[in-house]
């Protein structure tokens, strides 16, 4: 029992090579800490070197020149409180001329090295209407100016929460518009936990993969199925997992799934060898060309002289050596690739995976029907889709085929609130949608499919509604 | 079987979930020699359950059949015996994500209630984390301890029967996250803060009333918490169904194919029916009613000391 909390201090400190999340207000960015590397974030550029050795969660200011400085402790009390305030806005005319400082003036103040708080104070002092605003309006004004001119950056350790919010805010297209509360549902409905074996198919830049891995804590295994060339992992790398997490991660190409299911997947050494051979042949073909050229060259002097040119001989030997080395490297790579394929295949073959997560731009129906075959009975699966209709198809197909129960097509409604004394209300702008989820539980596949269909999952009340619809 | 680890075969002492049909399930404790009555007949534990694979179909004495499922916190949430109002999966999922829970997390929770959230937290923080849960009602605290033992998770949790507002969580400076679902969360903020690690942590307070939320946010601000954020989340279910919509009769058209033209106007295949023809649509409709409110979730970050 972890009664005495003993944090590994080293883990809590920022180091070179770490993946971190920069935060300014509500804006996040994922970067890697590199030596003297310029980082651009929220229209400012700076270097992270001064952050190395500091604790995660530390706040920094950006100094002229781009270096980070530890932010001084917060002063107690808001010195920006104004003495005077109005009752309402009936006399306030918004002519755009109430602020006497021009943009150039503000630039000058910045150049003079004025801190954000001081600039905000200057803006207040030079505003003709500030004292007439109500207290609430003054607070709102100050908050807005602070957001613009105070440039505190916090450096945080990456987490699913931060990265999911970042991707959804900055590049939703890359993650199929998966909103973070939908991500939350995926991880929980999928019962993602340490020690299980999870199959993931996603085209969300690796964010979903990383989130699944975070919930597994390095225990168990994840098999990432990938279409085409290779698996996308950029989003996963941003989590900055320790190296042993990578050992639990496997990948398997979709194009070999049918072979694996049919039992015809060839994983023998021969496969790798023939590939290596063909590549070596290819190499030797090209080397034959070059040697042909060099032979031509050497044949010339040979035809002219009796002995072989020693320098030419040396160069030829060098080329041979390089060729051999390249072929060897290629062989090693092929072997590694074969081993990886074999280990992933071994995990899949048993058809006893503990869960399935699908979140991609591909039509989910064939993906789901194909990959469900690898899942053990009584295990959850979750399919995310930006659109609803493809999931309706999945639902229908699954009901026909059987082997899955508790099918639910859902989406999540999310609303933020502003909570302030006498000013509490939902926030004005709201997310329109965060995608849809189809979830269910596998059961032992039944040969008597007819009996499955007989046990209708739809409640009796449904038939009444159908009449309502058709009579409308 | 355990709530934090899957197994394949049903054993004596396991808690399993019997699936009877749409939205109809029940938990049972597997005991050698025992029997369970269902509307499809009797299930004999020794012959029908013990040694069977989770997910298999079990035929009951009357001839009907059911599925036997491996328990998960999500299944437990919809099947557990209620001692209090509970949190449901939608809120639980968001709490888990926003508190950044994962294996190894140390979490404080109050009140334990019926253990719905507790089971979910345990599943997420296993095998290296720990849950410190506080419940001021003696019997509920006792029942929770019993259940954790039955579900083979008691090594991951400590239940304390005390008042969190007066006595806190019973630990200091070791929690990564604190969760409050109590009538007056603002009274527990000081204790929450002291329970959390020096390097910072996450806090969540769940309250059904906006007045509670206002007082809690004020207390959080006073105690130096940051990133204070209040939200609510609701699940919308889409019932998939096939509907048949009849086509209107505008009378005979001059020199055209008639209803088949209309069907193609709608863009669907024509389906002959008695009388007018109809069109089939595969769609999803919302249920008549849905949960409109559970509670407001307020999250905050305790900054670095």
């Amino acid at each position: 029992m972890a009664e005495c909390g003993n944090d590994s201090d080293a883990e809590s400190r920022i180091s070179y090579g770490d993946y971190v999340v920069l935060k300014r207000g509500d804006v996040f960015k994922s970067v890697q800490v590199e030596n003297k590397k310029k980082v651009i974030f929220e229209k400012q550029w700076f270097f992270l070197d001064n952050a190395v050795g500091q604790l995660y969660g530390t706040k920094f200011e950006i100094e002229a020149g781009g270096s980070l400085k530890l932010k001084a402790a917060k002063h107690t009390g808001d010195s920006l409180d104004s003495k005077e305030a109005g009752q309402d806005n009936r006399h306030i005319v918004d002519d755009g001329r109430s602020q006497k400082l021009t943009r150039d003036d503000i630039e000058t103040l910045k150049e003079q090295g004025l801190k954000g708080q001081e600039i905000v104070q200057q803006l207040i002092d030079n505003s003709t209407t500030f004292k007439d605003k109500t207290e609430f309006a003054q607070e709102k004004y100050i908050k807005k100016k602070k957001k613009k001119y105070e440039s505190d950056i916090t450096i945080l350790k990456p987490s699913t929460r931060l990265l999911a919010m970042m991707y959804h805010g900055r590049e939703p297209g890359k993650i199929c518009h998966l909103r973070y509360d939908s991500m939350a549902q995926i991880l929980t409905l999928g019962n993602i936990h340490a020690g299980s074996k999870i199959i993931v198919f996603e085209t969300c830049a690796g964010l979903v993969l990383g989130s699944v891995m975070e919930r597994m804590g390095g225990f168990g295994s994840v098999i990432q199925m990938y279409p085409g060339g290779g698996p996308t992992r950029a989003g996963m790398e941003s989590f900055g997992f320790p190296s042993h997490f990578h050992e639990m991660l496997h990948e398997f190409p979709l194009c070999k799934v049918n072979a694996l299911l049919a039992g015809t997947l060839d994983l023998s050494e021969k496969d790798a060898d023939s590939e290596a051979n063909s590549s070596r042949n290819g190499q030797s073909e090209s080397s034959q060309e070059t040697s042909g050229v060099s032979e031509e060259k050497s044949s010339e002097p040979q035809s002219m002289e009796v002995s072989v040119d020693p320098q030419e001989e040396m160069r030829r030997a060098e080329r041979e050596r390089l060729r051999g080395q390249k072929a060897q490297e290629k062989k090693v790579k092929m072997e590694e690739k074969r081993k990886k394929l074999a280990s992933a295949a071994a995990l899949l073959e048993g058809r006893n995976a503990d869960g399935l997560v699908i979140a991609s731009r591909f039509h989910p129906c064939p993906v789901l029907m194909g990959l469900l075959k690898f899942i053990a009975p009584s295990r959850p699966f979750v399919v995310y889709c930006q659109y609803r209709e493809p999931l309706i198809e999945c639902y229908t197909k699954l009901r026909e085929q059987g082997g899955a129960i508790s099918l639910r097509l859902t989406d999540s409604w999310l609303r933020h609130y502003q909570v302030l004394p006498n000013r509490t209300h939902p926030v004005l702008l709201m997310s329109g949608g965060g995608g849809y989820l189809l979830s269910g539980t596998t059961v032992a596949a039944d040969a008597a499919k007819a009996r499955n269909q007989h046990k209708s999952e739809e409640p009796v009340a449904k038939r009444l509604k159908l009449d309502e619809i058709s009579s409308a | 079987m355990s709530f934090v680890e899957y197994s394949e075969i049903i054993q004596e002492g396991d808690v399993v979930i019997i699936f009877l049909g749409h939205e109809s399930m029940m938990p049972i404790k597997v005991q050698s020699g025992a029997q369970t009555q269902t509307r499809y007949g009797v299930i004999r534990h020794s012959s029908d359950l013990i040694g069977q694979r989770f997910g298999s179909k079990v035929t009951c004495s009357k001839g009907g059949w059911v599925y036997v499922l491996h328990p998960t916190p999500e299944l437990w949430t919809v099947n557990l015996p209620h001692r209090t109002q509970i949190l449901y999966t939608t809120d639980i999922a968001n709490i888990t994500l926003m508190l950044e829970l994962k294996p190894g997390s140390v979490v404080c929770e109050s009140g334990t209630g019926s253990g719905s959230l507790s089971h979910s937290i345990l599943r997420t923080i296993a095998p290296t984390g720990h849950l410190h849960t506080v419940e001021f009602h003696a019997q509920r605290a006792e029942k929770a301890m019993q259940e954790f033992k039955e579900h083979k998770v008691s090594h991951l949790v400590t239940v304390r029967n005390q008042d969190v507002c007066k006595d806190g969580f019973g630990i200091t400076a070791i929690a990564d996250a604190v969760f409050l679902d109590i009538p007056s969360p603002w009274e527990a903020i000081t204790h929450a803060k002291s329970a959390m690690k020096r390097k910072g942590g996450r806090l969540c307070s769940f309250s059904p009333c906006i007045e509670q939320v206002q007082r809690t946010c004020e207390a959080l601000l006073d105690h130096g918490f940051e990133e204070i954020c209040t939200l609510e989340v609701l699940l919308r279910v889409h019932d998939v169904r096939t509907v048949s919509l009849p086509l209107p009769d505008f009378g005979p058209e001059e020199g055209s194919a008639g209803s088949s033209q209309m069907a193609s106007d709608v863009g669907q295949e024509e389906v002959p029916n008695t009388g007018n023809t109809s069109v089939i649509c595969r769609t999803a409709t919302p249920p008549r009613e849905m949960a409109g409110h559970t509670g407001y979730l307020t999250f905050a970050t305790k900054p670095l000391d």
Side-chain angles (χ1 to χ4, degrees):
Chain A
M1 300 220 268
E3 286 288 2
C4 50
N6 213 1
D7 294 315
S8 138
D9 196 32
E11 228 183 52
S12 315
R13 293 193 180 271
I14 303 166
S15 314
Y16 279 112
D18 280 0
Y19 281 92
V20 303
V21 173
L22 304 175
K23 172 176 133 69
R24 187 182 160 197
D26 286 328
V27 186
F28 304 96
K29 183 173 179 170
S30 168
V31 296
Q32 194 179 15
V33 179
E34 286 171 295
N35 196 2
K36 297 196 186 69
K37 174 135 187 248
K38 185 151 111 183
V39 168
I40 300 173
F41 176 51
E42 287 290 273
K43 296 190 191 133
Q44 293 176 296
W45 61 266
F46 49 91
F47 301 95
L48 291 171
D49 300 79
N50 287 0
V52 175
Q54 299 299 332
L55 289 166
Y56 277 99
T58 306
K59 292 191 189 43
F60 298 90
E61 289 174 336
I62 306 173
E63 304 212 276
S67 58
L68 290 177
K69 192 184 103 167
L70 280 173
K71 174 140 170 94
K74 221 177 181 167
H75 306 285
T76 47
D78 202 7
S79 54
L80 296 169
D81 272 343
S82 173
K83 317 286 181 284
E84 256 184 284
Q87 289 307 308
D88 55 44
N89 66 6
R90 68 182 80 197
H91 296 304
I92 299 182
V93 178
D94 185 8
D95 55 10
R97 300 209 306 260
S98 31
Q99 177 55 248
K100 294 306 165 198
L101 292 179
T102 64
R103 223 189 306 173
D104 290 334
D105 292 335
I106 299 172
E107 282 307 309
T108 315
L109 291 176
K110 276 191 194 170
E111 279 161 29
Q112 286 173 0
L114 245 63
K115 291 283 175 272
Q117 179 147 325
E118 293 159 347
I119 294 180
V120 177
Q121 187 62 57
Q122 287 288 318
L123 287 165
I124 292 172
D125 295 340
N126 284 282
S127 160
T128 55
T129 50
F130 188 82
K131 60 174 172 25
D132 300 323
K133 290 180 195 270
T134 64
E135 270 182 37
F136 290 170
Q138 286 176 348
E139 254 187 65
K140 193 171 177 178
Y141 180 89
I142 292 171
K143 214 177 199 173
K144 189 172 161 189
K145 296 304 173 193
K146 266 191 177 170
K147 193 170 177 185
K148 191 167 180 187
Y149 294 104
E150 279 187 15
S151 63
D152 293 350
I153 307 247
T154 317
I155 299 187
L156 300 166
K157 230 180 178 171
S159 68
T160 302
R161 173 181 78 98
L162 294 171
L163 292 170
M165 288 173 72
M166 178 191 86
Y167 268 103
H168 188 257
R170 288 174 91 95
E171 296 172 301
K174 277 197 170 169
I175 55 166
C176 305
H177 291 83
L178 171 68
R179 200 175 57 204
Y180 44 92
D181 59 310
S182 303
M183 172 73 93
Q185 301 301 318
I186 291 174
L187 296 169
T188 295
L189 291 173
N191 193 17
I192 310 296
H193 63 279
S196 35
K197 175 158 66 175
I198 306 290
I199 298 178
V200 175
F201 177 72
E202 59 114 298
T203 60
C204 296
L207 175 67
V208 173
L209 176 67
S211 307
V212 167
M213 285 172 70
E214 187 190 64
R215 288 288 185 93
M216 294 180 65
F219 302 95
S221 53
V222 178
I223 305 133
Q224 182 185 11
M225 312 298 289
Y226 61 92
T232 318
R233 301 240 165 110
M236 187 275 287
E237 298 293 349
S238 300
F239 280 81
F241 293 128
S243 52
H244 75 271
F245 272 53
H246 291 81
E247 287 161 34
M248 53 127 36
L249 178 59
H250 299 82
E251 62 268 6
F252 193 86
L254 275 190
C255 61
K256 296 215 155 76
V257 164
N258 279 336
L260 183 62
L261 287 170
T264 59
L265 183 65
D266 191 0
L267 296 164
S268 58
E269 300 262 355
K270 166 173 74 79
D271 210 33
D273 264 4
S274 62
E275 284 191 59
N277 270 333
S278 59
S279 64
R280 235 186 288 135
N281 281 336
Q283 286 233 325
S284 48
E285 272 170 28
S286 56
S287 62
Q288 262 174 3
E289 285 175 33
T290 50
S291 58
V293 171
S294 57
E295 274 187 287
E296 276 180 44
K297 273 204 194 144
S298 55
S299 65
E300 282 187 44
Q302 264 188 335
S303 60
M304 294 201 300
E305 294 163 30
V306 178
S307 58
V308 177
D309 179 13
Q311 272 208 324
E312 190 55 50
E313 189 57 47
M314 251 171 45
R315 265 176 265 154
R316 206 149 65 88
E318 184 60 29
R319 274 195 293 272
E320 278 295 334
R321 194 185 68 79
L322 278 172
R323 233 177 283 138
Q325 197 178 53
K326 272 204 185 131
Q328 187 60 24
E329 280 171 16
K330 191 131 192 185
K331 192 176 180 184
V332 167
K333 259 194 181 162
M334 286 275 122
E335 178 59 23
E336 253 182 62
K337 206 171 172 188
R338 186 197 70 84
K339 271 199 182 139
K340 278 195 168 166
L341 189 70
S343 68
L347 287 169
L348 290 169
E349 256 166 5
R351 305 201 192 190
N352 58 4
D354 296 312
L356 174 62
V357 172
I358 297 172
S360 78
R361 62 180 188 276
F362 284 78
H363 197 296
C365 207
V367 182
L368 177 63
M369 304 320 282
L371 297 181
L372 265 180
K373 298 178 179 131
F374 294 110
I375 314 299
S378 189
R379 298 289 185 269
F381 58 89
V382 189
V383 186
Y384 167 85
C385 184
Q386 193 180 345
Y387 311 102
R388 206 177 67 153
E389 284 72 15
L391 292 180
I392 293 178
E393 272 186 55
C394 290
Y395 183 105
T396 310
K397 237 279 145 80
L398 280 173
R399 301 277 284 123
E400 281 169 20
Q401 191 177 278
I405 53 160
S406 295
L407 291 174
R408 287 230 296 183
L409 177 56
T410 61
D411 81 296
S412 173
W413 184 93
L414 176 74
R415 195 186 227 180
H416 283 256
Y417 282 74
Q418 166 185 288
V419 179
L420 290 170
N422 296 312
R423 287 159 288 170
T424 300
H425 58 71
V427 166
L428 265 48
L429 208 55
M430 186 172 139
S431 162
Y436 300 84
L437 288 179
L438 177 69
S439 62
T441 306
T442 56
V443 287
D446 197 47
K449 195 180 74 174
R451 289 174 75 201
N452 262 346
Q453 284 180 322
H454 186 68
K455 182 168 251 164
S456 168
E457 279 201 59
E458 288 154 352
V460 176
K462 172 191 96 82
R463 267 164 231 136
L464 292 169
K465 287 182 207 170
L466 212 110
D467 291 340
E468 280 173 42
I469 292 166
S470 29
S471 63
Chain B
M1 169 237 73
S2 105
F3 274 61
V4 299
E5 208 181 318
Y6 280 120
S7 56
E8 208 188 322
I9 308 291
I10 304 170
Q11 289 173 346
E12 161 119 43
D14 283 355
V15 170
V16 304
I17 309 287
I18 303 292
F19 177 85
L20 300 147
H22 181 70
E23 310 241 327
S24 174
M25 293 186 259
M26 59 193 247
I28 63 176
K29 180 140 188 224
V30 177
Q31 275 167 333
S32 181
Q35 288 186 353
T36 301
Q37 276 292 348
T38 74
R39 64 168 177 266
Y40 298 115
V42 173
I43 300 176
R44 293 182 177 77
H45 293 207
S46 298
S47 52
D48 298 330
L49 296 179
I50 299 179
Q52 298 300 322
R53 210 177 169 193
F54 280 105
S56 30
K57 198 180 252 186
V58 169
T59 310
C60 310
S61 61
K62 277 196 216 156
W65 45 263
V66 299
Y67 285 110
V68 190
L69 302 177
H70 194 289
T72 65
E74 291 63 58
L75 286 173
W76 184 248
T77 289
V78 293
N79 285 298
L80 62 87
H82 285 215
R83 281 94 68 182
T84 59
Q85 172 62 289
I86 65 166
L87 279 181
Y88 288 91
T89 303
T90 310
D91 287 314
I92 293 175
N94 281 285
I95 292 165
T96 309
L97 181 94
M98 298 295 268
L99 286 182
E100 303 184 355
L101 301 185
K102 56 185 189 246
S105 295
V106 177
V107 186
C108 290
E109 170 197 31
S110 187
T112 317
S114 309
S116 174
L117 175 65
S118 315
H119 279 85
S120 184
I121 294 176
L122 288 166
R123 175 268 315 273
T124 304
I125 65 178
T128 42
H130 201 84
L131 172 65
H132 296 272
T133 187
V134 171
E135 170 58 50
F136 66 3
H137 190 280
Q139 280 84 9
R140 289 204 289 263
E142 183 58 46
K143 190 79 175 82
M145 273 191 268
Q146 247 175 48
E147 271 177 3
F148 293 141
K149 206 167 176 183
E150 261 178 34
H151 300 166
K152 312 232 177 41
V153 293
S154 48
H155 59 291
L156 294 165
V157 57
T158 304
V159 182
R160 289 181 175 85
N161 177 212
Q162 61 198 46
D163 181 347
V164 70
C165 298
K166 294 197 180 60
D167 310 311
F169 291 96
I171 44 93
T172 20
I174 60 163
D176 295 296
V178 170
F179 177 78
L180 296 168
D181 180 3
I182 56 177
S184 312
W186 54 92
E187 291 177 11
I189 301 296
T190 317
H191 289 296
K193 197 174 178 189
S194 71
M196 289 162 86
K197 287 178 177 159
R198 302 251 173 279
K199 67 176 179 179
R202 293 281 292 163
L203 179 140
C204 174
S205 173
F206 176 86
S207 294
C209 301
I210 200 70
E211 296 84 356
Q212 293 169 304
V213 173
Q214 286 175 307
R215 289 179 78 165
T216 306
C217 286
E218 217 178 308
L220 288 170
L221 203 60
D222 288 341
H223 282 77
F225 278 84
E226 295 174 350
E227 262 193 284
I228 302 169
C229 154
T230 301
L231 55 90
E232 67 173 336
V233 63
L234 295 170
L235 196 72
R236 301 193 50 192
V237 179
H238 303 251
D239 291 332
V240 177
R241 53 193 56 172
T242 308
V243 296
S244 176
L245 305 170
L247 293 169
D249 178 12
F250 282 114
E253 257 185 71
E254 311 298 304
S256 87
S259 60
S260 55
Q261 172 66 41
M262 208 176 296
S264 64
D265 281 344
V266 182
Q268 304 284 348
E269 273 177 40
E270 180 189 343
V271 172
N273 210 353
T274 53
N276 282 341
T277 52
S278 304
V279 149
I280 295 226
C281 280
R282 208 165 263 146
T283 180
T285 61
R288 271 196 96 180
E289 282 182 335
M290 63 176 265
H293 180 66
T294 51
Y296 300 102
L297 287 166
T298 301
F299 297 99
T301 305
K302 174 184 165 265
L304 185 59
D305 259 356

